[in-house]
Amino acid sequence: RASRKMQKRTVSLEQVDAFTQVSFKGNPAAVIEICDDEFPPSRVLQMMAEENNLSETAFWKRRGTSSEDDVLVADLRWLTPQVEVDICGHATLAAAHSIFGKLPETKKILFHTRSGILEVTRGAGGKLEMIFPVFYPRARPDLQQEFEEKLGISPLEVLWEEPLRDAIVVFPSVDSVLEFTPNMTVIASLPSDAIIITAAGSKQGLQLS
């Protein structure tokens, strides 16, 4: 009779609620430390993220040593239950919170990611400061008709962010944003990985997203 040995891996899993000081509030993310030298295969990470069933699961592992004793260098990846993403703010914050809790002597983390090196620093009072890359969107008039047909509204403009493949869709008014009911099946068929809908606010200098 054939038998297979299951490969065992050591991981540490936490669930962290970001952007809140109240339990069961904020934006939750799973944080998993990979204790091996390499990440498991991507399909395994994807199954783990699917099982967690949170908007994002952050996977991190130590990358190596830094010339500074209080700096940790780590690799970081983010996965939704369906796909790996290029960047995620709240899951990065959750991962940093978890690491700083485990390693109280650490004052700065340098995360190596698909979007470059992200820096998180622990400041006075335990506050965390994140430095993220800036992506400048550009107009994509060639996508205007497709977004109009699928969203059921005529946008003023469609902007595109690379390398994230996010679309920023400018609606005609604040009311059109508030009244919009997303059809997630239709949205999933759009060429972007995510969409942000926005409109100029009714008061000068304000914008609603």
Side-chain angles (χ1 to χ4, degrees):
R1 188 172 66 181
S3 63
R4 288 190 303 175
K5 290 184 178 180
M6 298 297 291
Q7 184 180 10
K8 293 184 179 180
R9 292 182 181 273
T10 302
V11 300
S12 170
L13 186 151
E14 294 182 61
Q15 181 171 321
V16 179
D17 295 326
F19 305 129
T20 183
Q21 295 181 338
V22 181
S23 298
F24 309 111
K25 300 292 184 181
N27 200 351
V31 178
I32 295 180
E33 179 185 0
I34 303 299
C35 300
D36 296 336
D37 293 335
E38 300 293 336
F39 284 111
S42 293
R43 62 178 178 80
V44 175
L45 297 182
Q46 191 62 71
M47 288 188 289
M48 294 169 73
E50 183 178 0
E51 186 172 64
N52 290 331
N53 199 31
L54 294 170
S55 60
E56 270 84 18
T57 296
F59 296 90
W60 74 275
K61 68 176 184 67
R62 297 170 191 252
R63 185 181 180 94
T65 58
S66 167
S67 57
E68 302 174 71
D69 293 337
D70 57 357
V71 177
L72 175 71
V73 183
D75 291 309
L76 178 64
R77 296 169 67 176
W78 311 272
L79 283 88
T80 75
Q82 290 83 30
V83 68
E84 184 168 3
V85 296
D86 291 323
I87 197 167
C88 179
H90 85 279
T92 302
L93 185 63
H97 173 82
S98 173
I99 293 169
F100 284 130
K102 293 178 178 179
L103 305 172
E105 73 281 1
T106 300
K107 292 184 171 55
K108 180 188 293 185
I109 306 169
L110 300 177
F111 285 122
H112 288 249
T113 77
R114 285 173 30 167
S115 294
I117 299 176
L118 309 182
E119 181 181 316
V120 186
T121 303
R122 177 165 53 183
K127 291 185 178 180
L128 303 187
E129 177 182 316
M130 301 193 296
I131 299 178
F132 270 44
V134 176
F135 303 110
Y136 295 97
R138 59 187 179 89
R140 287 291 301 272
D142 56 306
L143 296 176
Q144 192 115 350
Q145 182 176 349
E146 180 177 2
F147 275 77
E148 180 177 349
E149 291 173 353
K150 292 185 175 180
L151 297 181
I153 191 168
S154 180
L156 299 179
E157 192 173 28
V158 175
L159 305 170
W160 191 267
E161 285 186 325
E162 289 286 2
L164 302 183
R165 291 179 49 80
D166 289 351
I168 302 173
V169 186
V170 183
F171 276 25
S173 66
V174 170
D175 287 341
S176 62
V177 173
L178 297 175
E179 295 168 2
F180 179 69
T181 301
N183 182 323
M184 301 310 293
T185 301
V186 171
I187 288 175
S189 71
L190 290 166
S192 57
D193 290 341
I195 70 166
I196 302 165
I197 63 171
T198 186
S202 55
K203 295 182 180 180
Q204 186 175 2
L206 295 180
Q207 195 166 17
L208 177 69
S209 297

